Amino acid sequence: MKVSQNWLKSLVEINTTPDDLSEKLSIGGFEVDSLIDCSLNVKGVVLGKVISVVKHQNSDKLSICNVDIGGSNYLQIICGANNIKPNIYVYVATIGTYLASIDLTIKRSEIRGTTSEGMICSLEELGIEDTSDGIAIINEEFASKYKLGTSGAKLLDLEDYIYDLAITANRPDGMSVIGIAREISALLETKFSFPRLENKYQINICNNFDLCTEAISKNCLYSITQINSVNGKELSPNWLKDRLDKSGIKSINLLVDITNYILLEQGQPLHAFDKEKLKNLIGRDVLPEDFAVRRARDNETLLCLNGENYELNENITIIACNDKPVAIAGVIGGLETSVTDNTSSIFLEGGVFNPVVIRKSSKEIGIRTESSSRFEKGISYKNTLASVTRAINILEEYFDISNPIINTSIEFDKTKILIPLRRKRIHNLLGPLVIRNEHFDSNKKLVKRNLSDTEITDKLRLIGCNLSNKEYGWDVEVIPSRSQDLLREIDLIEEIARLVGYDMFDLNLPSPIKPGKLTSAQNALRKLKNGFIDVGFNEVLSYSLVSESNDDLIKISNPLLLETSCLRNNIWQEHIKICNQNIKSGFDYCWIFEVGNIFHKKPDLSQEELLNGAIYGNNKFEKWIRNSKANHLNYYEARGKLKEALTVLNLKIEDKPNNTIDFLHPGRSSKLFTEGNEIGYFGEIHPNLINEKKALKKMYIFSLKVKKITDASTRKNKWIPVFNQYPTVPKMERDINFIFNKKYLVSEIISQIKKSGKKLLEDVNLIDVYDDNNFGNEYVSYTFRLSYRDSEKTLLDSDIISLHEKIVEIIEKKFDTKLRD
């Protein structure tokens, strides 16, 4: 947002330097990206009068001029302009002046043997106009008001500064000159005055507007006003051109310029339609109720003001007249109904649209305008009719128009919205002010006290709030332009602190100050991350905001882009995209992991922290030479990498086959369990994802629930290392071999053996798997090695034979099998 200091001075008293004001605005929340001195390009240019003109004896095109710039002697200047003549007032660039537009420093020089002591300039050479035909001749009546030698910046109204402000999304009031002026008034504690506004026009509530409820939702409105007896050929006065130009908007004609002026001054976009063109479009006289706001239809087109012919669709919201598209709502108008030199009557549109709808339209057609940027940030509908009135007031100064009727979709809601503000709450949150008082002795120079009621009310009144006294404090009414960000008591308290100055309040440090440290869960997560990195994974970070792809996503209330309009409910999709990018870039592998949150809409709004990752290819970073063998890991190799990373937490993870996760291969995926609790999944992606080109190659993805992992790994018996005495007696091993139905998991069998083995059974391991067609397709042979040990003595066969036979009996009965010979 660019705004000139001279424009601001017409609204607020500025009693400081531009540099100091820039710093105050930046600290206050309106960051000044740049401060432009408008006079810089004409520094050294002064008002001069040509006294005499003589043809140069060595040139047919050059003239020798004597120019008076108010000094004791005339300057001799060589000039080649066709329109040079005596007794005219001109802009003279004196010796030493740098003209940035033509990259020239003026020096005393000799031209064809004659000395030249300056340069008579055109507006093009001064950087005021793009092209010029000859030197600039200043109006005699205007020039005679100034002394010769007066700075050219003063004559050109360039004794001004332009503040280029970065306005944040939470301060839409900063998108208007009035909002910035009010902010300056609050920061400098100076007088602020509104532009003159005459509310003398009739307001008609029009119930016949056909308005899309998605676009004109709660706290939105649409208005249309017919204004006759205007003239499209009328150009804007200099003061209006100057303000628009310094704000970066090109002057077109008075009608269009006024709508742009109101956009800048009030922050309310307006649009003017040519009444006669609308009549030709629909084939009859246009009525206010002919205007509508609706979604565009497929195959509709609209030629817009930028010369582009856009193909419309249902994601774009348009303004229609008798169902014919005439503008893209809140973004850009149509060329066929635009104001031109022949315009004699207009329909003036003013409205407030749903920010999400405007953002969708703007994104769909690929442009962002001054209007759309304001609607996207959110503006108050309570300012709309006042802005329309202000525009008509200015039109009345230049055209003889009769009192028009402002047709609006809703009646202005005059209900006051009051925010209770508690005095005690302010003092508790902000604490005391620290004031240096020189009248106290040297040991008591700092005085601490709470904000007084006067200080509180004065700061809030500076930003336009109305306050009524209550026993607990005040009821505060916020002005419409700040109603988007001042919604709660805490917002008002923050505003008070901002205007007083955060550095004015006492510091409140914890007493006593204790050093911070990581919790066991945080340490466990850090160890887990390092475990993945040690194995060869790279940590990545992806956005939590995604596009709206289904109804299960949580929408955010005021998204900046359609692509970031919802909270994600998974991370794996982004990881597949990252792997795809690496594949396209020619990399042979991509091992990544990420710790992040996902957000659930059902059953209740909640978030969950996950460690997700993806494995593609074979990470050969340890090998110098890459062989030509297949680069892909099989399921067990990939699962082994995950197991290797998890070993740092001393957790036993159990895999159970899975075929319920739709994005995983039904035969090559498993759910992960520890201590009987499900903690995540691991598996190869479903082949359909490759067929649908969502994934380019085979890859594996995994997900771990961080809280369950850290809870399990930080239990006292696992987190704190305990020394176990080395056994002093040998163990006794026995192997058992069974044929099992493949439906039984090895983990289930081992678990049952351990339960049956009591204290003497130390360990169980699977040592052999044998598959034979003679067993049948549904059966497989497993051999387990059972290790027995007694901590107090060496075991004999007689000590374990009954226990061993009992284990075999239980396994045979539980799993319907027989011990093989």
Side-chain angles (χ1 to χ4, degrees):
M1 173 73 182
K2 291 183 178 180
V3 60
S4 81
Q5 180 165 279
N6 288 347
W7 191 353
L8 290 169
K9 282 182 175 179
S10 68
L11 300 171
V12 62
E13 180 185 345
I14 297 177
N15 55 11
T16 187
T17 64
D19 288 326
D20 184 54
L21 180 57
S22 294
E23 184 177 354
K24 289 182 182 296
L25 283 168
S26 297
I27 293 173
F30 284 169
E31 184 181 355
V32 179
D33 282 341
S34 62
L35 177 65
I36 303 167
D37 183 355
C38 297
S39 66
L40 202 60
N41 286 341
V42 294
K43 192 168 270 188
V45 176
V46 298
L47 173 64
K49 184 178 182 181
V50 179
I51 304 301
S52 64
V53 177
V54 178
K55 283 291 182 183
H56 196 295
Q57 59 185 0
N58 295 325
S59 173
D60 295 333
K61 295 182 179 180
L62 299 178
S63 301
I64 303 172
C65 309
N66 284 325
V67 183
D68 185 2
I69 61 167
S72 56
N73 298 313
Y74 296 157
L75 296 180
Q76 180 173 281
I77 298 175
I78 308 299
C79 179
N82 293 328
N83 59 338
I84 189 69
K85 57 185 177 181
N87 298 318
I88 59 172
Y89 292 91
V90 291
Y91 296 107
V92 179
T94 56
I95 293 172
T97 300
Y98 175 69
L99 299 176
S101 61
I102 56 174
D103 191 24
L104 176 66
T105 300
I106 305 302
K107 301 177 181 177
R108 185 189 302 273
S109 58
E110 282 201 6
I111 301 176
R112 301 277 180 106
T114 305
T115 302
S116 182
E117 302 171 301
M119 178 177 175
I120 301 174
C121 300
S122 66
L123 292 180
E124 180 183 355
E125 290 161 339
L126 295 177
I128 308 299
E129 293 182 353
D130 294 333
T131 58
S132 294
D133 187 14
I135 60 170
I137 299 176
I138 305 171
N139 180 273
E140 185 175 352
E141 183 180 353
F142 173 74
S144 61
K145 297 177 183 178
Y146 300 93
K147 291 182 178 180
L148 294 175
T150 299
S151 165
K154 190 169 186 177
L155 276 76
L156 293 165
D157 199 20
L158 293 177
E159 289 185 334
D160 197 0
Y161 288 85
I162 297 174
Y163 298 87
D164 191 355
L165 303 166
I167 307 300
T168 54
N170 67 315
R171 289 297 301 273
D173 60 301
M175 297 295 284
S176 68
V177 178
I178 287 178
I180 298 167
R182 190 188 291 280
E183 179 72 10
I184 292 171
S185 170
L187 294 172
L188 301 181
E189 299 186 0
T190 55
K191 184 179 178 181
F192 169 77
S193 58
F194 269 108
R196 182 176 59 86
L197 189 65
E198 295 183 21
N199 290 300
K200 59 181 181 178
Y201 313 115
Q202 180 183 342
I203 306 294
N204 176 49
I205 309 302
C206 184
N207 297 318
N208 296 326
F209 284 136
D210 182 11
L211 304 176
C212 170
T213 55
E214 186 182 359
I216 306 296
S217 55
K218 186 181 178 183
N219 296 332
C220 297
L221 67 76
Y222 186 75
S223 74
I224 201 80
T225 308
Q226 181 177 328
I227 303 173
N228 299 320
S229 303
V230 295
N231 184 358
K233 294 180 180 179
E234 186 74 24
L235 299 180
S236 298
N238 289 333
W239 66 268
L240 181 52
K241 287 181 179 179
D242 179 68
R243 291 179 178 181
L244 292 178
D245 180 61
K246 289 175 181 175
S247 298
I249 295 179
K250 184 179 179 180
S251 175
I252 297 173
N253 59 44
L254 182 56
L255 295 176
V256 175
D257 288 355
I258 288 175
T259 63
N260 288 331
Y261 180 76
I262 297 300
L263 174 134
L264 295 171
E265 182 188 78
Q266 305 284 334
Q268 169 66 58
L270 302 177
H271 184 70
F273 297 101
D274 187 304
K275 178 185 171 184
E276 193 64 28
K277 288 184 177 181
L278 289 172
K279 179 181 177 181
N280 294 335
L281 181 67
I282 69 173
R284 60 173 174 80
D285 288 336
V286 180
L287 301 174
E289 51 266 32
D290 287 327
F291 287 87
V293 181
R294 65 169 173 85
R295 283 190 175 189
R297 305 184 187 101
D298 291 339
N299 300 321
E300 283 186 316
T301 60
L302 180 65
L303 179 62
C304 290
L305 291 170
N306 58 0
E308 293 288 334
N309 193 19
Y310 294 104
E311 293 184 2
L312 308 179
N313 59 57
E314 63 178 9
N315 292 323
I316 300 171
T317 302
I318 63 165
I319 307 298
C321 183
N322 196 33
D323 205 40
K324 296 184 184 296
V326 293
I328 296 175
V331 182
I332 191 170
L335 185 62
E336 293 181 33
T337 56
S338 63
V339 171
T340 63
D341 290 351
N342 299 321
T343 300
S344 58
S345 296
I346 62 171
F347 276 99
L348 185 64
E349 175 200 69
V352 173
F353 305 96
N354 185 338
V356 175
V357 168
I358 300 303
R359 193 171 295 110
K360 282 183 179 178
S361 298
S362 179
K363 181 66 179 177
E364 194 70 24
I365 66 174
I367 62 170
R368 196 161 186 259
T369 61
E370 291 285 345
S371 295
S372 67
S373 64
R374 284 163 173 78
F375 285 127
E376 287 173 21
K377 284 185 170 65
I379 60 178
S380 175
Y381 77 101
K382 294 183 178 179
N383 278 338
T384 302
L385 298 185
S387 299
V388 172
T389 300
R390 170 72 172 148
I392 301 173
N393 286 168
I394 299 175
L395 284 168
E396 281 187 324
E397 295 179 17
Y398 299 95
F399 303 112
D400 185 18
I401 60 177
S402 57
N403 286 343
I405 298 173
I406 302 174
N407 299 282
T408 179
S409 60
I410 61 172
E411 188 173 359
F412 183 72
D413 186 4
K414 295 183 180 179
T415 305
K416 293 183 179 180
I417 299 176
L418 302 176
I419 304 173
L421 180 61
R422 294 167 290 176
R423 182 184 296 106
K424 187 176 180 180
R425 181 70 169 158
I426 297 172
H427 295 158
N428 287 342
L429 278 176
L430 299 183
L433 290 170
V434 180
I435 301 172
R436 184 174 295 278
N437 195 326
E438 300 296 339
H439 297 292
F440 286 76
D441 60 58
S442 58
N443 294 324
K444 297 182 180 179
K445 286 186 177 181
L446 295 180
V447 178
K448 296 182 180 181
R449 64 168 178 82
N450 285 325
L451 282 170
S452 67
D453 285 4
T454 303
E455 289 171 319
I456 293 170
T457 55
D458 284 350
K459 293 302 180 186
L460 291 177
R461 288 192 176 106
L462 283 170
I463 59 172
C465 295
N466 294 318
L467 296 90
S468 53
N469 293 324
K470 297 292 179 181
E471 184 178 346
Y472 54 78
W474 304 268
D475 279 345
V476 182
E477 181 187 8
V478 177
I479 58 172
S481 62
R482 294 300 305 273
S483 61
Q484 306 291 321
D485 67 303
L486 299 182
L487 303 171
R488 305 163 297 167
E489 180 184 46
I490 191 65
D491 298 327
L492 296 172
I493 296 173
E494 181 186 9
E495 202 70 2
I496 293 167
R498 184 177 69 86
L499 294 173
V500 171
Y502 292 110
D503 56 335
M504 297 294 291
F505 292 95
D506 191 21
L507 298 175
N508 290 295
L509 297 176
S511 180
I513 298 176
K514 296 180 180 179
K517 65 177 182 179
L518 296 177
T519 64
S520 295
Q522 290 169 328
N523 271 315
L525 182 57
R526 181 171 289 187
K527 286 178 67 176
L528 186 57
K529 285 183 176 182
N530 289 335
F532 275 96
I533 293 169
D534 291 343
V535 172
F537 285 80
N538 290 309
E539 186 174 7
V540 298
L541 181 64
S542 59
Y543 287 116
S544 298
L545 298 176
V546 296
S547 59
E548 183 181 354
S549 57
N550 58 66
D551 293 334
D552 293 332
L553 299 176
I554 301 171
K555 298 179 183 178
I556 60 176
S557 58
N558 193 20
L560 292 176
L561 297 169
L562 285 176
E563 288 83 353
T564 56
S565 60
C566 296
L567 295 171
R568 67 184 176 188
N569 63 357
N570 71 75
I571 304 178
W572 64 267
Q573 289 180 329
E574 191 63 33
H575 286 182
I576 288 179
K577 291 179 182 177
I578 294 173
C579 288
N580 287 342
Q581 289 173 353
N582 280 269
I583 292 169
K584 289 178 180 178
S585 299
F587 290 97
D588 295 331
Y589 69 91
C590 180
W591 293 10
I592 57 174
F593 77 95
E594 173 181 358
V595 177
N597 289 317
I598 63 171
F599 305 87
H600 303 291
K601 188 175 183 179
K602 299 174 183 178
D604 296 313
L605 298 180
S606 61
Q607 72 179 43
E608 182 179 22
E609 189 176 25
L610 298 179
L611 188 155
N612 267 60
I615 300 173
Y616 158 69
N618 191 2
N619 188 338
K620 300 178 181 178
F621 68 96
E622 294 178 345
K623 299 182 179 180
W624 289 8
I625 302 174
R626 299 190 180 191
N627 57 39
S628 58
K629 293 183 180 179
N631 189 44
H632 299 293
L633 299 178
N634 63 36
Y635 176 88
Y636 298 102
E637 289 174 324
R639 176 65 181 87
K641 296 302 177 183
L642 177 60
K643 180 180 179 180
E644 191 178 346
L646 289 170
T647 54
V648 296
L649 294 185
N650 192 29
L651 281 179
K652 187 166 185 180
I653 309 295
E654 181 181 349
D655 292 48
K656 291 185 179 180
N658 159 77
N659 58 6
T660 60
I661 302 177
D662 57 5
F663 52 85
L664 294 180
H665 194 298
R668 300 174 189 169
S669 61
S670 61
K671 289 187 177 180
L672 309 179
F673 291 81
T674 188
E675 298 180 346
N677 296 316
E678 183 182 338
I679 60 167
Y681 61 79
F682 174 88
E684 182 183 323
I685 61 170
H686 200 289
N688 286 343
L689 293 176
I690 299 176
N691 295 336
E692 295 168 1
K693 304 300 183 182
K694 293 180 180 177
L696 299 181
K697 295 285 182 68
K698 181 178 78 172
M699 58 188 74
Y700 303 90
I701 57 177
F702 58 87
S703 177
L704 303 171
K705 297 178 180 180
V706 170
K707 188 175 189 312
K708 289 188 176 181
I709 285 277
T710 55
D711 285 350
S713 63
T714 54
R715 301 196 198 286
K716 191 174 181 179
N717 61 334
K718 293 181 179 177
W719 187 246
I720 299 174
V722 177
F723 175 74
N724 289 325
Q725 186 69 41
Y726 285 101
T728 57
V729 295
K731 64 183 177 181
M732 184 176 288
E733 295 180 338
R734 294 288 184 271
D735 293 347
I736 56 176
N737 178 265
F738 295 92
I739 297 175
F740 291 94
N741 191 307
K742 291 181 179 178
K743 69 179 181 180
Y744 297 119
L745 300 178
V746 171
S747 59
E748 293 179 44
I749 301 170
I750 291 177
S751 178
Q752 185 61 52
I753 294 173
K754 286 183 175 179
K755 285 180 183 178
S756 308
K758 299 182 179 180
K759 292 183 178 180
L760 291 181
L761 182 62
E762 183 180 73
D763 198 11
V764 181
N765 290 293
L766 176 69
I767 62 170
D768 184 62
V769 178
Y770 180 64
D771 199 353
D772 194 308
N773 293 333
N774 295 327
F775 300 153
N777 293 331
E778 297 181 359
Y779 293 90
V780 64
S781 171
Y782 295 139
T783 301
F784 296 95
R785 178 162 291 166
L786 283 62
S787 300
Y788 297 95
R789 194 195 307 264
D790 188 325
S791 60
E792 296 178 355
K793 67 174 185 176
T794 301
L795 292 173
L796 302 174
D797 283 345
S798 58
D799 295 323
I800 66 168
I801 189 167
S802 60
L803 176 61
H804 189 71
E805 288 175 351
K806 184 181 179 182
I807 292 172
V808 171
E809 181 183 346
I810 291 173
I811 295 301
E812 288 178 337
K813 184 177 180 181
K814 178 78 173 177
F815 297 100
D816 190 22
T817 184
K818 287 289 183 182
L819 186 68
R820 293 183 68 200
D821 295 334

